[in-house]
Amino acid sequence: MESFIKLLLNNKLWAAEKVSQNPNYFQNLAKTQTPETLWIGCSDSRVPANEVIGAQPGEVFVHRNVANLVVHTDINMLSVLQFAVEELKVKDVIVCGHYGCGGVKASLGHKHLGILNKWLRNIKDVYRLHEVEFAGNLTEEQRVNKLVELNVKEQVTNLAKTSIIQKAWKYTDGPHLHGWVYGLEDGILKQVFDMPPGTAIDPIYVYEDL
Ligand code: CO
C-alpha cells in the first residue's frame, strides 16, 4: 500500500476512535483553541511535539523547523510567535532541541547543502560564539550534543531579543521561556535553560519605547 493511502486510512480509524470515546469530541475542539504553550521544535519526525509531552489536540501551539531555530528574519516563526503571545496569550514558550540533531550535526560539517547552508549558518554562529568550550577532547557525538544544548540556549535568548517578547514582559506577566532537549534514546526531556518573564538581557538588545 502506498504511504499516503495508509495515512488516510489511519485518519479514518483515529477519527472514529475519538468519536466513539466522545461523540462531541470534534465539535468541542472546533469551537475554539486555548493552548497555554507554544512549542518551537525541530522538524525531525522522531520528535512529535504533542506526543512527547502527552498533549491533546488544542493544548499546544506548534512551530517546527530544521534544528528549532529562532531567526529574526523568519516571518513564519515571528508570525507564530506574535499570534501565540499576543492573541492566544500562552504562558510558556518552549524551544525544544534534541540530541543527535541532523541539522546541528550538518552545521559542524563542511558539506555544501544548497539553501540549507544559509539556515545552518545560524548554528555555525552559535558554535563560533562558544568555540572555546569545544577545545577539549570530545567525541563527534559529544560535540554534536554540546552544540545541541548551546543552540537551544541561544534560540531562547533570541526569543527574548524580539520586541514581541519584550513587549509582553513589559505589559503582562508572561510568557516564561524554556529551553529543553529531548533524548531520542530514552524519550526524556531535559531542561537546559530558563528565562522567567522579565529576565534581564544584554542591554544592546533592549527596546525602550515599546
Ligand atoms: Co533535529
Side-chain angles (χ1 to χ4, degrees), residues 5-180:
I5 300 284
K6 199 174 132 209
L7 299 181
L8 291 168
L9 288 173
N10 285 347
N11 167 256
K12 283 203 176 66
L13 290 171
W14 172 78
E17 196 191 322
K18 290 290 180 193
V19 170
S20 76
Q21 288 161 1
N22 175 359
N24 297 321
Y25 182 78
F26 291 106
Q27 282 89 330
N28 291 344
L29 259 183
K31 276 182 214 152
T32 182
Q33 65 158 346
T34 53
E36 296 189 344
T37 308
L38 166 61
W39 173 282
I40 300 174
C42 183
S43 298
D44 194 298
S45 63
R46 298 162 296 179
V47 196
N50 282 58
E51 274 188 69
V52 304
I53 51 173
Q56 297 304 310
E59 290 183 349
V60 58
F61 204 61
V62 173
H63 176 79
R64 290 167 71 179
N65 61 44
V66 172
N68 41 270
L69 299 184
V70 174
V71 177
H72 289 153
T73 49
D74 179 359
I75 203 79
N76 184 352
M77 181 280 300
L78 290 171
S79 301
V80 170
L81 181 67
Q82 183 178 346
F83 186 73
V85 172
E86 297 180 3
E87 304 299 325
L88 299 172
K89 302 189 191 314
V90 295
K91 295 191 168 102
D92 299 282
V93 180
I94 298 158
V95 175
C96 186
H98 64 100
Y99 294 117
C101 181
V104 172
K105 209 177 283 180
S107 78
L108 281 169
H110 301 277
K111 210 168 163 203
H112 173 56
L113 297 164
I115 285 287
L116 203 49
N117 287 350
K118 302 176 195 338
W119 190 249
L120 298 180
R121 188 173 306 144
N122 293 290
I123 316 176
K124 287 182 185 282
D125 290 340
V126 178
Y127 175 84
R128 180 176 46 79
L129 276 170
H130 297 273
E131 212 155 5
V132 285
E133 296 176 50
F134 291 84
N137 231 346
L138 299 172
T139 65
E140 175 62 20
E141 192 186 3
Q142 286 168 331
R143 277 164 61 82
V144 171
N145 290 343
K146 185 187 253 303
L147 189 53
V148 162
E149 291 189 358
L150 291 169
N151 181 49
V152 161
K153 288 182 195 166
E154 194 67 24
Q155 305 316 317
V156 173
T157 309
N158 283 347
L159 283 175
K161 291 176 193 167
T162 65
S163 59
I164 298 165
I165 292 298
Q166 290 188 29
K167 206 169 160 188
W169 281 2
K170 191 168 180 181
Y171 296 107
T172 73
D173 56 1
H176 192 146
L177 311 181
H178 309 265
W180 295 356

